[in-house]
Amino acid sequence: MRTHTHTCTPWLRAGVPYEVSSRSVRIYQPAKTATQSGRAETNYWRLDFDVKDRWENPLMGWASSADTVQALRIRFDSKQAAINFAERQGYDFWVDEPKEGKFRVKNYSENFKYSPTKLRIARTK
């Protein structure tokens, strides 16, 4: 049985232009949206490409770019799957680990608790 060893880079095998394959990507887990209390859209990992040069469109004043992959977001079920994909494609990547939120115990009755040393009414004038 004969095996062939390919010495070409992954971007060449995949048919991806060098400009796209030499990009750096960020792998991260999206944060919970501020307007919702649920965590439904945070159970996956996302791969985003770095943004290349932009310029202001003189006619409309919008930000323009010739970069077509800046809007591309790839979704993965796990961090390791995203890392494996980036390594297979030959991308330079970095991983942003999710930050754990601090949970503070809030008790509504604390607003009305009597404290002899604490001024309950703040006077503004």
Side-chain angles (χ1 to χ4, degrees):
M1 178 180 235
R2 239 168 94 179
T3 59
H4 296 284
T5 57
H6 296 284
T7 58
C8 62
T9 57
W11 62 269
L12 189 58
R13 284 193 303 244
V16 177
Y18 177 74
E19 294 80 26
V20 174
S21 67
S22 63
R23 305 281 298 266
S24 58
V25 296
R26 177 174 77 126
I27 298 172
Y28 67 100
Q29 190 173 22
K32 179 178 83 71
T33 60
T35 58
Q36 300 292 324
S37 61
R39 300 185 62 86
E41 291 295 319
T42 61
N43 297 329
Y44 60 89
W45 287 79
R46 186 179 284 167
L47 183 138
D48 282 348
F49 288 87
D50 257 357
V51 178
K52 291 277 187 176
D53 295 334
R54 291 183 184 209
W55 63 89
E56 186 176 325
N57 187 329
L59 179 63
M60 299 297 289
W62 296 339
S64 299
S65 175
D67 186 14
T68 58
V69 294
Q70 73 180 2
L72 181 64
R73 289 183 170 170
I74 305 174
R75 192 172 163 167
F76 296 94
D77 291 332
S78 68
K79 176 173 70 170
Q80 192 58 44
I83 291 172
N84 290 343
F85 177 80
E87 287 175 346
R88 256 194 335 266
Q89 297 300 321
Y91 296 137
D92 292 330
F93 65 92
W94 73 93
V95 178
D96 283 343
E97 296 292 337
K99 296 178 180 80
E100 291 298 323
K102 296 178 183 175
F103 181 75
R104 292 187 320 183
V105 177
K106 296 178 185 177
N107 191 354
Y108 184 66
S109 66
E110 291 291 323
N111 294 335
F112 306 102
K113 183 178 176 183
Y114 175 73
S115 176
T117 59
K118 182 179 171 186
L119 178 62
R120 291 181 45 146
I121 300 172
R123 306 225 185 251
T124 58
K125 291 186 181 183

